[in-house]
Amino acid sequence: MHELSIAVQIAEIIVEEAQNAGASTVSKVELEIGSLAGIEPDAIELAVPEAFKSTICEGAEIVFHYIQAKAVCESCCSEFDPADHFKICPFCNSLYTSFIKGKELKIKSFDIIKP
Ligand SMILES: [Zn+2]
């Protein structure tokens, strides 16, 4: 389950940044996950609280923002919702398309409590 190793990395980043900011506790974490990031929602929602255990993030409220992928056609400039990784323009059938969002996996924000 690679979500757990991703969750551990997320926890490490937040713990380091929160400690640098002088936090004793992290109260809330917001994460952004694109639909093309290769993350199983069920798995990541279990893995993140697991990774937070025994850190200053333990017990934090965790908000997952899932971002629907979007692609743009370079031939006709239309934007569309790609089905998985298969992205042919539905308007002109062009193959010259690129993703403009959907691959993100990032920490949007977190709230800290200082002692
Ligand atoms: Zn097109």
Side-chain angles (χ1 to χ4, degrees):
M1 180 167 117
H2 81 135
E3 280 81 0
L4 187 56
S5 63
I6 291 165
V8 167
Q9 286 174 27
I10 290 169
E12 284 173 354
I13 293 165
I14 295 171
V15 166
E16 192 181 335
E17 289 191 17
Q19 283 175 339
N20 286 344
S24 59
T25 310
V26 174
S27 56
K28 183 177 179 182
V29 173
E30 294 192 48
L31 303 173
E32 281 187 347
I33 300 166
S35 59
L36 299 172
I39 302 290
E40 259 328 304
D42 290 351
I44 198 75
E45 289 182 19
L46 284 175
V48 173
E50 195 62 34
F52 282 2
K53 277 186 187 158
S54 307
T55 75
I56 61 172
C57 299
E58 184 163 7
E61 180 190 349
I62 308 164
V63 182
F64 295 89
H65 297 280
Y66 292 101
I67 297 173
Q68 173 61 48
K70 273 258 186 278
V72 64
C73 174
E74 285 161 23
S75 301
C76 71
C77 296
S78 302
E79 283 186 19
F80 60 97
D81 296 342
D84 297 324
H85 290 259
F86 193 68
K87 50 182 179 74
I88 292 175
C89 176
F91 301 99
C92 71
N93 295 320
S94 172
L95 289 167
Y96 296 100
T97 60
S98 48
F99 289 115
I100 49 178
K101 61 180 181 177
K103 289 186 173 174
E104 46 279 270
L105 171 59
K106 63 181 183 185
I107 301 158
K108 185 166 181 271
S109 65
F110 57 88
D111 297 341
I112 59 173
I113 296 171
K114 291 188 182 183

